[in-house]
């Protein structure tokens, strides 16, 4: 009983903690800290251990440290703006204490000549000398105990001192919870328990936190709980039994004949996996993952025609109208004439909408293409058997399950994504789904050639563009949004548009975030129809649209983008049979990091490899498509650094699934990671 009450303590509002007043509580709320548990997850970013005396030669620049030194000389320049200096030394070196705005008398009093003094402060290194400017602590009494001090990243209005006090209060009260991990897992972490780990990470004198069992234990908890929740959802979906879809691939063969190409081995394999699922009694819940331009659409359409052959209706949703339209036209082209195909979007005329709705209701419409609106509006299907969602990368586990439920038991689900997820992350991001992977690109595809250019060489780029246009090719010109103090700045794109318009009159259009969706769609559509040559754009050009005639992409300020993002952008061109080119434009001399990134882009076209390299260079948190998209947000775990933990968690989950181990014991863990509720909602 006591344990349960203590467990509740973790979810107590911070305003109920001793020492947290209204003001502090509001400030913390702004930092998204609402409960004790939220407090615990904000680990200090550094630990200043002032109780340890450091030799001058061992000082770390930039850190708050304590030294024991003898005062040997003063320098009081008596000039405005020049600081007073005190020279000190220990057995290993010398250091200067710099004082701005302190009087001689005071300095002499706290730092008497020839006396040994304890000084704490932030250490810097200037003109080959160690310095401490305005020491935070000076004492002649060696026995005075200095305190450890954790540094947290906080908002204004709350000091580390107060925060440390709050944390100390909380740490005193956190419960020792019943262990949820197996003995094997526990031994991997030297039997470090949750409570010990939390306490240790908030209060320690060592610096190498990420290597300790304490850190790893908590990172593992985080990884494991996210995989566990996916696995539980997966189990629930697997229990649903549907009516098998029966078809003889009649239409499939017909469509394949109409295609100007043969499917690649990976496409064939993916299609086979999907077809098997459709024919199976288990409801399909599958992700079709493939790099940009790997040819996911045709696989989806062929599987759709099989579902239609079996007598069910199909609904294909794309993130934008133009993409929905593109898929619709493709289906019109390759599907047998007798198939009734419809397009339903926001701009569909009212009377057409009515007819389409009617045809969905009475099963005369076999397949409908549209945007997500298809789903929200009360559209009734007579016999919906298959939902395909293109280019999804914003659905979390919860939304996916809701989607699966909405279709009903006989409805198979296929999601398509071009976001390459590194291997380590697959189980925690998509553990609820089966995955089909298209790794190879179509045979005739020439890899996009990537160049880098300084922006002062714009005349070279213009020459290149002129040449492309003379070959009747189209060009993307990307200017990234520069976000300053929340005000979105479109000027770079607008300026470039005006500049290019003068050189290429009548051939340039501009798209940016301030346009309405309809305006955007109109411009993209006319670009698709090749009504103009150069599309200047902020990064709003949508993923997935196929412009086979666009062969050059110029990306300005390329250092503003991550590797994966550059790769996605680059994937807009070279989708036809012609050679695609990508020019990365940089403002000034390239940094080491930028050089590395260009090298990787030039060397490979493999999105999966690129995303892993991206994580290595920038850290997991900054990589497009993971944290920002809400797919996965780890506090501690890092898929590159903690690869072993991801592997261990995967092994443990598989073991649980295989041996049907009761997962009741993980309730507290799931609660701690805000996931117990998801499971409750998903029945
Ligand atoms: P994505 O996987 O990014 O959605 P798409 O399905 O839009 O890619 O395909 C990109 C282009 O590749 C399209 O023009 C499509 O017709 C073409 N394509 C697809 N599969 C093949 C193939 N096996 N051989 C040649 N071209 C293909
Ligand atoms: Mg696509």
């Amino acid at each position: 009983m006591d344990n349960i009450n203590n467990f509740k303590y973790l979810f107590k509002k911070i305003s109920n903690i001793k020492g947290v007043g209204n003001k502090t509580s509001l400030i913390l709320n702004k930092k998204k800290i609402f409960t004790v548990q939220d407090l615990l997850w904000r680990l200090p970013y550094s630990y200043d251990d002032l109780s340890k005396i450091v030799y001058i030669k061992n000082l770390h620049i930039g850190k708050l440290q304590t030294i024991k030194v003898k005062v040997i000389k003063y320098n009081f320049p008596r000039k405005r703006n020049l600081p007073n200096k005190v020279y000190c030394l220990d057995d290993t070196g010398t250091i200067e204490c710099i004082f701005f705005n302190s009087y001689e008398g005071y300095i002499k009093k706290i730092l008497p000549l020839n006396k040994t003094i304890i000084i704490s402060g932030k250490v810097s290194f200037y003109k080959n000398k160690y310095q401490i400017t305005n020491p935070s602590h000076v004492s002649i009494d060696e026995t005075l105990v200095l305190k450890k001090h954790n540094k947290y990243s906080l908002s204004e209005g709350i000091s580390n001192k107060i925060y440390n006090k709050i944390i100390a209060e909380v740490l005193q009260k956190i419960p020792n919870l019943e262990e949820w991990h197996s003995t094997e897992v526990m031994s991997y972490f030297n039997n470090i328990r949750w409570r010990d780990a939390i306490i240790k990470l908030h209060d320690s004198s060592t610096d190498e936190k990420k290597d300790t069992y304490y850190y790893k234990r908590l990172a593992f908890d985080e990884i494991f709980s996210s995989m566990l929740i996916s696995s539980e959802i997966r189990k629930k979906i697997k229990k649903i039994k549907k009516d098998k879809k029966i078809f003889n691939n009649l239409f499939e063969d017909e469509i394949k004949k109409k295609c100007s190409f043969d499917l690649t081995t990976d496409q064939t394999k993916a299609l086979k996996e999907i077809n098997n699922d459709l024919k199976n009694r288990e409801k399909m819940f599958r992700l079709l993952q493939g790099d940009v331009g790997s040819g996911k659409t045709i696989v989806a359409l062929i599987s759709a025609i099989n579902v239609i052959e079996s007598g069910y209706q199909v609904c294909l949703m794309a993130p934008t109208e133009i993409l929905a339209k593109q898929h619709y036209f493709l289906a019109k082209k390759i599907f047998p004439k007798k198939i009734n195909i419809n397009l339903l979007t926001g701009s569909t005329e009212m009377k057409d909408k009515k007819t389409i709705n009617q045809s969905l209701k009475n099963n005369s419409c076999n397949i409908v293409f549209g945007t997500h609106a298809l789903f929200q509006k009360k559209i009734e299907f007579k016999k919906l058997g298959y939902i395909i969602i293109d280019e999804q990368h914003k659905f979390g586990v919860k939304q996916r399950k809701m989607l699966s439920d909405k279709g009903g038991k006989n409805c198979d689900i296929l999601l398509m994504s071009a976001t390459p997820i590194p291997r380590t992350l697959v189980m925690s991001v998509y553990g609820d789904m089966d995955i089909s992977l298209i790794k190879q690109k179509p045979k005739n595809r020439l890899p996009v050639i990537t160049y880098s250019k300084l922006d002062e060489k714009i005349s070279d780029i213009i020459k290149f563009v002129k040449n492309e246009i003379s070959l009747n090719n189209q060009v993307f010109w990307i200017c990234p949004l520069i976000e300053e103090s929340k005000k979105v700045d479109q000027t770079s794109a607008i300026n470039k548009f005006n500049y290019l318009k003068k050189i290429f009159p009548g051939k340039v259009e501009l798209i940016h975030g301030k346009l309405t969706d309809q305006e955007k769609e109109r411009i993209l559509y006319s670009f698709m129809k090749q009504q103009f040559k150069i599309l200047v754009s902020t990064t709003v050009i949508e993923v997935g649209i196929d412009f086979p005639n666009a062969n050059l992409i110029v990306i300005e300020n390329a250092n503003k983008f991550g590797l994966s993002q550059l790769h996605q952008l680059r994937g807009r061109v070279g989708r036809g049979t012609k050679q695609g080119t990508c020019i990365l434009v940089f403002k000034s001399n390239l940094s080491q990091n930028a050089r590395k990134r260009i090298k990787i882009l030039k060397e490979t076209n493999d999105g999966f490899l690129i995303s892993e390299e991206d994580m290595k260079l920038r850290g997991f948190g900054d990589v497009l498509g993971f944290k920002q998209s809400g797919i996965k947000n780890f506090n501690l775990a890092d898929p590159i650094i903690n690869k072993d933990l991801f592997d261990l968690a995967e092994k443990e989950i598989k073991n649980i699934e295989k041996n049907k181990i009761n997962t009741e014991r993980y309730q507290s863990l799931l609660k701690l990671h805000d996931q117990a509720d998801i499971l409750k909602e998903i029945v």
Side-chain angles (χ1 to χ4, degrees), residues 140 201 219 265 283 294 296 304 332 350 440 457 544 564 583 592 663:
I140 197 158
L201 285 191
T265 319
K283 176 177 164 131
S294 60
K296 295 182 289 292
K332 276 272 193 201
M350 207 52 200
Q440 66 199 154
K457 296 262 174 78
S564 313
I583 302 179
Q592 194 80 16
T663 52

Side-chain angles (χ1 to χ4, degrees), residues 378-596:
K378 291 220 166 80
I379 293 170
E380 280 175 56
F381 290 84
K382 174 86 187 248
K383 211 179 164 192
L384 183 62
Y386 193 18
I387 297 175
I388 303 171
I389 303 213
D390 192 16
E391 299 297 352
Q392 71 83 26
H393 28 241
K394 293 192 175 68
F395 287 168
V397 145
K398 194 169 154 184
Q399 287 101 320
R400 287 204 293 264
K401 179 64 170 65
M402 268 156 54
L403 178 74
S404 157
D405 292 345
K406 266 192 179 174
K409 84 169 171 74
N410 279 329
C411 190
D412 290 302
I413 311 269
L414 181 72
L415 303 180
M416 296 197 269
S417 168
T419 311
I421 305 276
R423 253 259 348 126
T424 33
L425 271 179
V426 168
M427 274 279 277
S428 28
V429 177
Y430 293 126
D432 53 332
M433 311 180 79
D434 293 308
I435 298 176
S436 292
L437 198 61
I438 306 184
K439 279 209 103 160
Q440 66 199 154
K441 299 271 168 67
K443 262 200 246 90
N444 56 5
R445 193 71 50 78
L446 298 165
V448 177
I449 295 178
T450 304
Y451 298 105
S452 53
K453 276 265 170 215
L454 283 182
D455 68 353
E456 57 214 42
K457 296 262 174 78
I458 189 158
S459 56
D460 291 358
I461 302 171
I462 296 293
K463 229 185 269 168
F464 205 108
V465 172
K466 278 187 180 152
N467 187 48
E468 284 293 312
I469 291 178
S470 74
L471 297 170
N472 215 11
N473 293 335
Q474 289 171 289
V475 178
F476 287 111
W477 194 298
I478 310 294
C479 307
L481 282 182
I482 304 155
E483 215 160 329
E484 273 163 26
S485 62
K486 283 185 190 149
K487 197 184 85 205
V488 178
D489 182 6
Q490 319 279 6
T491 50
S492 69
I494 295 170
N495 289 345
K496 192 55 58 147
F497 168 65
N498 289 330
Y499 171 83
L500 291 170
K501 227 169 36 176
K502 276 186 206 131
I503 306 174
F504 303 99
K507 293 191 171 132
V508 195
E509 289 275 1
L510 169 69
I511 270 198
H512 59 70
K514 289 239 173 84
L515 299 181
T516 65
D517 285 350
Q518 267 158 341
E519 284 168 317
K520 272 188 230 164
E521 299 264 344
R522 186 191 55 76
I523 296 173
L524 283 174
Y525 197 65
S526 85
F527 191 59
M528 204 168 98
K529 295 255 160 203
Q530 302 187 38
Q531 284 161 351
F532 62 95
K533 295 294 178 187
I534 304 172
L535 179 63
V536 179
S537 161
T538 53
T539 47
V540 291
I541 48 164
E542 298 299 340
V543 195
I545 307 170
D546 204 21
F547 298 99
N549 200 51
N551 280 294
L552 171 64
I553 184 163
V554 179
I555 305 172
E556 285 200 51
N557 266 339
N559 49 309
K560 295 250 179 224
F561 296 101
L563 267 185
S564 313
Q565 223 172 346
L566 290 174
H567 176 67
Q568 291 272 346
L569 284 169
R570 175 171 74 170
R572 304 294 101 228
V573 300
R575 291 163 78 95
T577 45
K578 286 190 196 166
Q579 177 64 57
T581 307
C582 168
I583 302 179
L584 305 172
V585 187
F586 293 86
K587 267 207 170 348
S588 55
N589 280 331
L590 296 179
S591 70
Q592 194 80 16
N593 206 319
R595 270 177 224 276
K596 254 192 214 156

